């Protein structure tokens, strides 16, 4: 594991928080309480939340780190492993933050083009990884914005076939299956990312977590800021885990709605990509976005190679019906039959 770690981090010690018991606490320059104990710094290791996540994921507490959204965890991974000029490799198209963070940390970034924006030839991708001498491979799986999915067996091939740190960003895994989180003890170079922003539907609290074997976790903790996860997010995160029944019900609803929306887009001839997430990417056109906007409907459009493509999130039944109705009307007005 050590061979992956940045030189600066090898010499670093994690920030130590004094957590001895006390009757009077005057060691951290905190103020006098006026709001439910929020004068205190939060638990640096978010012990209760990590314990609850450990139960849910069946991973050890020492194999988990919580963060201020998975975005913070992506940054921590780069800070731990990526020296300037080293390569981060992903697929293309994918989540734009991978490239942005890589650039911020002075790395180089290369995306392997998916065929028809959805298929990845794994053997060829593994060759690409080694040709680029990638230090880090990061894959959104299911992939944002295409909704496509790389099977677990293929991820294992990448883990076996390359010498990089392999980060699997499972932001949308609850809408799919085939998580690789159970493989973290088999592969010392595997990191799995999860978020509370999508299926758990609490994007507002900015909560994500990372699972990896202890030796990786130990190094990443060295670069983590103390108290990175605030007290309110720790509390609501626990509540979200406690509310798993509501969350699961919504996931089922979204999966049903996803098939309905997909079929409607397909019938309109818009080539929707089969989705394993809570959104669908399809071929609209330049004007569709403006048309929908005129009704106050926001969808995501793209530039570059994805010009004309639209990504629509699966919302409530009423929202989805409305959007489908408007898209249908747009194409009928444009080209009445
Ligand atoms: C939405 C999303 C995230 C979540 O980021 P947070 O910082 O946890 O809100 C991570 N990765 C991908 C690919 C996403 O689409």
């Amino acid at each position: 594991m050590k061979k992956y770690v940045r030189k600066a981090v090898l010499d670093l010690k994690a920030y130590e928080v004094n957590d001895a018991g006390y009757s009077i606490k005057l060691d951290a320059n905190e103020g006098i309480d006026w709001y439910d104990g929020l004068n205190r710094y939060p638990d640096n290791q978010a012990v209760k939340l990590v314990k609850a996540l450990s139960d849910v994921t069946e991973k050890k507490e020492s194999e988990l780190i919580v963060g201020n959204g998975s975005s913070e965890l992506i940054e921590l991974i780069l800070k731990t492993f990526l020296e300037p000029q080293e390569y981060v490799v992903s697929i293309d198209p994918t989540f734009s933050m991978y490239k942005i963070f890589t650039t911020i940390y002075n790395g180089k970034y290369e995306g392997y083009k998916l065929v028809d924006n959805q298929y990845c030839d794994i053997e060829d991708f593994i060759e690409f990884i080694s040709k680029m001498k990638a230090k880090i491979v990061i894959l959104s799986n299911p992939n944002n914005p295409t909704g496509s999915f790389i099977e677990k067996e293929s991820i294992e091939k990448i883990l076996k076939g390359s010498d990089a740190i392999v980060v699997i960003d499972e932001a949308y895994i609850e809408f799919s299956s085939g998580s690789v989180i159970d493989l973290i003890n088999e592969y010392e170079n595997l990191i799995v990312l999860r978020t509370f922003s999508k299926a758990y539907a609490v994007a507002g609290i900015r909560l994500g977590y990372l699972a990896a074997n202890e030796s990786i976790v130990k190094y990443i903790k060295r670069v983590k800021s103390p108290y990175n996860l605030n007290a309110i997010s720790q509390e609501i995160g626990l509540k979200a885990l406690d509310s798993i029944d509501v969350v699961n019900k919504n996931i089922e609803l979204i999966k049903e709605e996803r098939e309905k929306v997909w079929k409607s887009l397909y019938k309109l001839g818009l080539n929707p990509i089969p989705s394993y997430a809570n959104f669908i990417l399809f071929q609209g056109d330049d004007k569709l976005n403006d048309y929908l906007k005129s009704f106050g409907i926001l969808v995501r459009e793209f530039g570059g190679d994805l010009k004309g493509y639209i990504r629509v999130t699966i919302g409530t039944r009423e929202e989805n019906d409305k959007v489908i109705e408007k898209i249908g009307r747009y194409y009928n007005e444009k080209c009445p039959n």
Side-chain angles (χ1 to χ4, degrees):
M1 175 41 48
K2 209 169 162 181
K3 68 174 181 194
Y4 294 109
V5 179
R6 277 181 54 217
K7 279 197 211 71
V9 176
L10 285 175
D11 298 331
L12 209 59
K13 266 188 63 178
Y15 181 85
E16 296 264 351
V17 172
N18 177 12
D19 56 2
Y22 59 85
S23 57
I24 294 176
K25 180 164 166 51
L26 297 174
D27 65 334
N29 302 344
E30 295 154 330
I32 295 166
D33 184 34
W34 64 273
Y35 201 113
D36 289 349
L38 286 179
N39 62 319
R40 296 296 181 210
Y41 276 99
D43 177 353
N44 183 45
Q45 305 281 0
V47 170
K48 274 194 205 156
L49 179 57
V50 168
K51 172 85 187 65
L53 284 171
S54 158
D55 291 342
V56 172
T57 57
E58 298 176 347
K59 297 292 130 204
K60 288 189 274 181
E61 290 160 61
S62 53
E63 293 166 339
L64 301 168
I65 304 178
V66 288
N68 197 11
S70 44
S71 304
E72 182 191 18
L73 299 165
I74 297 169
E75 277 204 81
L76 289 181
I77 291 166
L78 298 185
K79 278 189 193 172
T80 306
F81 300 109
L82 193 72
E83 298 280 13
Q85 307 305 316
E86 288 184 328
Y87 269 92
V88 174
V89 161
S90 187
I91 49 179
D92 177 34
T94 193
F95 191 43
S96 56
M97 291 313 296
Y98 303 151
K99 184 173 183 179
I100 294 171
F101 283 137
T102 301
T103 306
I104 291 170
Y105 288 99
N106 289 311
K108 292 189 170 170
Y109 180 92
E110 208 66 55
Y112 175 84
K113 245 202 149 355
L114 294 178
V115 175
D116 293 338
N117 290 317
Q118 52 184 315
Y119 306 110
C120 184
D121 177 338
I122 289 301
E123 311 299 340
D124 197 45
F125 182 52
I126 291 170
E127 221 164 90
F128 181 79
I129 293 167
S130 74
K131 196 180 79 197
M132 301 314 298
K133 299 193 173 62
K135 181 71 169 291
I136 297 173
V137 176
I138 182 162
L139 296 174
S140 168
N141 202 40
N143 186 35
N144 180 8
T146 62
S148 54
F149 188 67
I150 297 175
E151 299 297 328
K152 191 171 182 175
E153 299 77 61
S154 300
I155 303 281
E156 280 209 77
K157 281 187 188 161
I158 297 170
L159 284 161
K160 289 200 176 98
S162 75
D163 195 31
I165 295 272
V166 177
V167 183
I168 306 299
D169 180 349
E170 297 189 334
Y172 301 96
I173 196 71
E174 294 89 348
F175 303 105
S176 173
S177 59
S179 169
V180 292
I181 199 166
D182 56 316
L183 298 181
I184 61 167
N185 302 108
E186 266 172 73
Y187 300 94
E188 73 155 7
N189 54 336
L190 171 63
I191 301 177
V192 176
L193 295 177
R194 296 275 183 87
T195 181
F196 278 60
S197 299
K198 308 289 159 57
Y200 279 96
V202 284
I205 65 170
R206 310 296 302 119
L207 174 59
Y209 64 98
L210 162 168
N213 67 72
E214 283 173 13
S215 59
I216 293 195
V217 163
K218 189 180 74 185
Y219 285 114
I220 297 176
K221 278 187 174 167
R222 291 188 185 181
V223 306
K224 177 181 93 62
S225 298
Y227 315 115
N228 60 322
L229 190 63
N230 75 76
I232 298 168
S233 298
Q234 293 190 27
E235 192 167 317
I236 309 284
L238 278 168
K239 183 161 167 111
L241 289 175
D242 241 16
S243 311
I244 190 69
D245 292 344
V246 185
V247 170
N248 280 337
K249 212 175 101 229
N250 286 335
I251 291 169
E252 283 315 305
L253 174 75
I254 288 165
K255 281 159 67 174
E256 277 170 34
E257 286 289 298
R258 176 177 75 196
E259 300 322 304
K260 186 187 82 184
V261 173
W262 189 90
K263 279 188 188 131
S264 304
L265 294 168
Y266 182 78
K267 282 187 194 144
L268 287 166
L270 303 179
N271 301 320
I273 295 175
S275 171
Y276 294 81
N278 67 337
F279 54 80
I280 296 174
L281 187 71
F282 65 94
Q283 258 171 326
D285 63 49
D286 286 357
K287 304 268 161 50
L288 175 59
N289 187 45
D290 287 339
Y291 179 82
L292 294 174
K293 221 190 265 174
S294 73
F295 298 100
I297 297 171
L298 297 185
V299 294
R300 179 74 145 82
E301 65 173 351
F302 295 90
D305 290 350
L306 286 184
K307 196 167 165 50
Y309 278 83
I310 302 273
R311 187 193 67 197
V312 59
T313 306
I314 306 301
T316 64
R317 188 164 290 152
E318 294 71 29
E319 290 169 336
N320 304 330
D321 288 345
K322 187 100 182 197
V323 173
I324 284 299
E325 193 249 319
K326 294 295 183 209
I327 295 174
R329 188 187 302 187
Y330 172 80
Y331 283 102
N332 280 329
E333 280 171 12
K334 206 175 121 171
C335 160
N337 41 26

